[in-house]
Amino acid sequence: MFSFTGKAVMESSSFVFTFPDDKIIRESKPLKIGKSPFSLEVTAGLFEEGRLLDTFTEEVRKSGKLLFSINDRLLLIDWRSGDIFEQPVDYSWSFLPELKSGPVRDNLKGVSEIRAINPVAGLKIRQDKGLVLDDEVKTRVRLSFFSFRRKNKSLLFGVTRILRGYEKTHGILVSWLLAEGAQENSDPLAVYAQLGIQTRDYSVKPRLDISGTDDIKKSVTTIIRTSLGVAEQNEPGIIADLDTEFLHDYRVSFRKIRSALSLFSGIYESKETARLKKEFGELMKKTNRLRDLDVYLLDRDRYFSLVPESSHEGLEILFTHLRRVRKTEHRAFCRVLKSKEYRKSMDTWKELFSDPSNLSDGRQKRRVSSVFAAKRIVKRYKKVCRIARSIDARTEDAVVHELRIECKKLRYLMEFSTPFFAGKKMKKLIRSLKRLQDNLGRFNDYSVQQRFPSEFFEEKMKRSRKGIKMAEAIGALTAMLYQLQCRERDLVMENFARFDTEKVHAAFQELFEHQVKGLSE
């Protein structure tokens, strides 16, 4: 019956495996393990209704784990190690910080705390226990099984637990399981594939199907088409208001589109470029206030930690009103997304960027992508260095803001151009730039965060009876944010010095300047 060979293939660690179905454990009587003196006895559980859970970006699955909710408990399976964690949950939750500390919560480190965790698919789950017994009915190996069923499909997940002194028996068991069709599979994607669950395969930075030898018009059109697709994927999440990252990614996509139109100017005819930039810019204006509110509300706990307790009452009044205003802003933008005008615009843009020939030709349209991009990167890099080297303790903040914008443009240019150049070297340079950019980003954020509540106070709360308490809280918070902004400002020169090294300069030369000199367009 079994093709057991008796050869031990694993003696020192647990074996994590899957079967395409669960028939191997359906037997009610102990299963003989090949010609060995051992048998497998399974204690079957009952099927329960469950749900596979994950974030929109599938961070749990990508970490090698799968998370399930089953009645009033959570089950987390590490598909690589075979570790299994359970935790009771008898309350509603969507975000990790809302989940009480426990084995599941503690083993989801690395999963975003601002991404909602939502149902991916419904399925039936049964947990079984297995024992490998010898002829004296002594336990030599323990097993845990999970049977998953969805519609007419099924999958069995199993993991062995070695008992000290019985490593050889474990090896015999593993050989038998493999001979019976078990697959050693450390990728939880097996569950998706076997049970017919579709993965979203979403990324805010999807792979760009472009080549350095393509003409630049084709490359830029592909970049914009891809970004439009990413933006569209986020629309349902914004409307459902699942988490704030949907709007963030939506805005990032359109920011990239506008940046591509600016950074690769001359690809399309100037009037068409200006019209498109205006259309995309007007759409983004409708999201600005909602995003500012999201950022402010996400940082609520940190703001409370910055001010004395005597200011907490005023701060709570402020945040109560900000939440109310956010609801209004969210409803307003949802009306935009659901409108016929918006749908018509999106369809028009998608059709326009579906093929480079749909767009007008600019004077640069036939340039070779890699050479054209290298020239623009070198030019932008030199500008960043020129501005940064002029900054000292007396430089006006406006110059620091200009440096931040130029760094952002340089980074977008480099990210767009990653497919044209050696991947590792490009990624290393982007990482070098990121530290400086993060520093400049925080400098700008503190500036916006100081201004935002004051503007809100002037607009909405100045004449309110609670205005005095709120004004005091805003004053205390603004003073702390100003201190933090000054601290970030002091770090700009230090972080630029780390970026402005001979090594980084040589890397830019090797990757881009030599490209420009070595190739003709």
Side-chain angles (χ1 to χ4, degrees):
M1 177 177 177
F2 302 120
S3 56
F4 165 68
T5 63
K7 183 182 177 184
V9 297
M10 181 177 292
E11 294 186 348
S12 59
S13 61
S14 295
F15 180 54
V16 183
F17 60 94
T18 58
F19 275 100
D21 57 49
D22 56 4
K23 65 182 180 183
I24 194 166
I25 59 168
R26 286 183 199 165
E27 298 284 340
S28 56
K29 57 185 180 182
L31 285 166
K32 192 87 173 81
I33 299 181
K35 295 177 181 177
S36 76
F38 310 119
S39 60
L40 171 62
E41 187 173 296
V42 176
T43 304
L46 296 172
F47 271 106
E48 298 176 278
E49 295 293 336
R51 293 184 300 178
L52 177 63
L53 307 176
D54 212 332
T55 63
F56 181 69
T57 47
E58 298 180 330
E59 292 173 66
V60 181
R61 178 184 68 74
K62 289 173 183 173
S63 72
K65 303 182 180 82
L66 287 180
L67 177 64
F68 303 92
S69 69
I70 308 167
N71 296 323
D72 57 356
R73 71 183 195 279
L74 291 174
L75 168 69
L76 180 68
I77 300 177
D78 188 320
W79 223 253
R80 295 166 184 165
S81 66
D83 290 336
I84 298 161
F85 309 96
E86 289 193 75
Q87 180 174 334
V89 179
D90 56 0
Y91 50 88
S92 173
W93 68 284
S94 295
F95 298 89
L96 277 186
E98 296 171 353
L99 195 59
K100 292 176 185 171
S101 180
V104 172
R105 171 74 178 88
D106 297 346
N107 281 282
L108 284 171
K109 285 175 184 170
V111 174
S112 169
E113 295 192 344
I114 56 175
R115 270 291 191 192
I117 295 181
N118 289 304
V120 176
L123 66 174
K124 291 183 176 179
I125 305 172
R126 189 182 77 186
Q127 184 172 6
D128 306 319
K129 300 289 183 186
L131 298 175
V132 173
L133 305 172
D134 60 19
D135 48 9
E136 296 178 351
V137 199
K138 199 171 188 178
T139 301
R140 293 203 169 210
V141 182
R142 297 182 189 276
L143 297 96
S144 293
F145 297 106
F146 287 92
S147 296
F148 301 100
R149 289 185 182 176
R150 183 170 181 265
K151 299 178 181 175
N152 58 346
K153 298 177 178 177
S154 64
L155 177 82
L156 178 73
F157 169 87
V159 57
T160 62
R161 305 293 181 201
I162 307 170
L163 299 182
R164 186 176 296 176
Y166 294 123
E167 288 82 3
K168 189 173 180 181
T169 306
H170 180 262
I172 292 171
L173 171 68
V174 171
S175 295
W176 174 72
L177 287 167
L178 289 170
E180 287 302 304
Q183 295 179 351
E184 190 177 4
N185 194 334
S186 60
D187 188 350
L189 204 57
V191 171
Y192 283 69
Q194 183 63 25
L195 300 183
I197 302 170
Q198 284 197 331
T199 57
R200 291 194 186 91
D201 199 24
Y202 169 83
S203 170
V204 72
K205 294 179 183 177
R207 182 180 172 278
L208 292 168
D209 188 19
I210 51 180
S211 163
T213 56
D214 290 338
D215 68 65
I216 191 65
K217 185 182 178 188
K218 180 183 175 186
S219 295
V220 174
T221 303
T222 302
I223 290 168
I224 294 177
R225 181 174 63 247
T226 306
S227 295
L228 280 171
V230 174
E232 196 170 32
Q233 281 181 279
N234 283 284
E235 291 169 1
I238 296 172
I239 292 170
D241 206 14
L242 297 175
D243 63 49
T244 56
E245 288 301 282
F246 289 98
L247 179 67
H248 173 259
D249 287 6
Y250 179 87
R251 283 170 51 86
V252 167
S253 301
F254 276 105
R255 197 185 302 146
K256 285 182 177 177
I257 291 170
R258 294 172 66 200
S259 295
L261 289 169
S262 297
L263 297 170
F264 297 109
S265 58
I267 308 302
Y268 310 124
E269 195 270 325
S270 58
K271 282 186 180 176
E272 184 167 43
T273 301
R275 175 181 62 76
L276 287 165
K277 283 169 67 176
K278 186 181 176 191
E279 289 175 3
F280 293 132
E282 285 175 353
L283 176 62
M284 282 302 91
K285 279 182 188 172
K286 295 172 183 173
T287 68
N288 288 346
R289 194 167 175 79
L290 180 57
R291 179 59 190 167
D292 285 345
L293 285 158
D294 280 346
V295 172
Y296 225 85
L297 290 167
L298 283 171
D299 274 344
R300 176 190 176 281
D301 292 347
R302 192 167 68 91
Y303 293 144
F304 272 77
S305 71
L306 289 174
V307 299
E309 276 192 35
S310 58
S311 298
H312 285 191
E313 184 182 349
L315 215 51
E316 192 54 61
I317 296 168
L318 171 66
F319 275 90
T320 300
H321 282 276
L322 290 182
R323 281 191 287 271
R324 200 172 297 155
V325 176
R326 188 202 174 273
K327 283 185 181 176
T328 305
E329 291 291 331
H330 177 254
R331 281 197 295 268
F333 188 57
C334 285
R335 283 196 292 274
V336 171
L337 290 180
K338 293 175 182 174
S339 68
K340 289 180 182 176
E341 292 78 9
Y342 172 77
R343 198 69 265 152
K344 187 178 175 184
S345 295
M346 272 300 270
D347 290 344
T348 302
W349 293 330
K350 282 162 57 185
E351 174 61 26
L352 188 63
F353 288 98
S354 66
D355 192 308
S357 65
N358 295 339
L359 291 135
S360 59
D361 291 338
R363 64 186 185 285
Q364 309 280 8
K365 68 161 184 130
R366 293 196 186 282
R367 304 286 185 184
V368 177
S369 292
S370 60
V371 180
F372 188 82
K375 280 184 175 178
R376 297 280 165 122
I377 289 170
V378 168
K379 185 178 174 184
R380 192 67 58 180
Y381 170 64
K382 288 179 177 175
K383 189 170 183 180
V384 164
C385 291
R386 190 173 67 249
I387 296 171
R389 285 168 188 161
S390 74
I391 292 176
D392 59 27
R394 294 165 298 177
T395 307
E396 292 181 0
D397 284 355
V399 180
V400 181
H401 283 295
E402 186 186 357
L403 176 63
R404 179 183 67 84
I405 291 166
E406 290 302 325
C407 283
K408 185 179 282 189
K409 287 178 179 176
L410 175 59
R411 184 172 170 188
Y412 278 145
L413 254 177
M414 293 170 72
E415 287 182 347
F416 290 149
S417 309
T418 298
F420 307 151
F421 303 101
K424 284 184 180 176
K425 290 180 182 175
M426 179 67 108
K427 286 176 184 173
K428 204 171 177 181
L429 278 179
I430 291 173
R431 276 200 301 275
S432 300
L433 177 62
K434 190 174 182 304
R435 179 182 292 173
L436 174 61
Q437 214 187 346
D438 288 346
N439 172 204
L440 291 164
R442 287 191 294 272
F443 171 80
N444 182 63
D445 288 347
Y446 290 136
S447 173
V448 174
Q449 289 163 8
Q450 289 171 62
R451 200 169 56 243
F452 184 72
S454 300
E455 290 173 355
F456 177 79
F457 178 76
E458 290 294 325
E459 284 178 23
K460 305 282 183 184
M461 295 300 295
K462 196 172 181 180
R463 296 174 186 171
S464 165
R465 285 181 301 169
K466 300 174 181 175
I468 294 176
K469 282 195 176 296
M470 191 192 293
E472 288 172 355
I474 289 173
L477 181 59
T478 303
M480 291 305 299
L481 290 170
Y482 177 70
Q483 285 183 28
L484 291 171
Q485 187 188 10
C486 291
R487 199 178 301 166
E488 288 298 331
R489 157 85 196 227
D490 291 343
L491 292 173
V492 170
M493 286 176 282
E494 183 181 323
N495 282 316
F496 177 68
R498 289 178 180 162
F499 177 68
D500 190 29
T501 63
E502 283 300 320
K503 195 174 175 182
V504 171
H505 185 62
F508 267 93
Q509 275 193 323
E510 181 190 347
L511 207 54
F512 308 117
E513 290 192 32
H514 293 172
Q515 177 86 213
V516 175
K517 291 174 184 172
L519 293 175
S520 64
E521 296 180 57

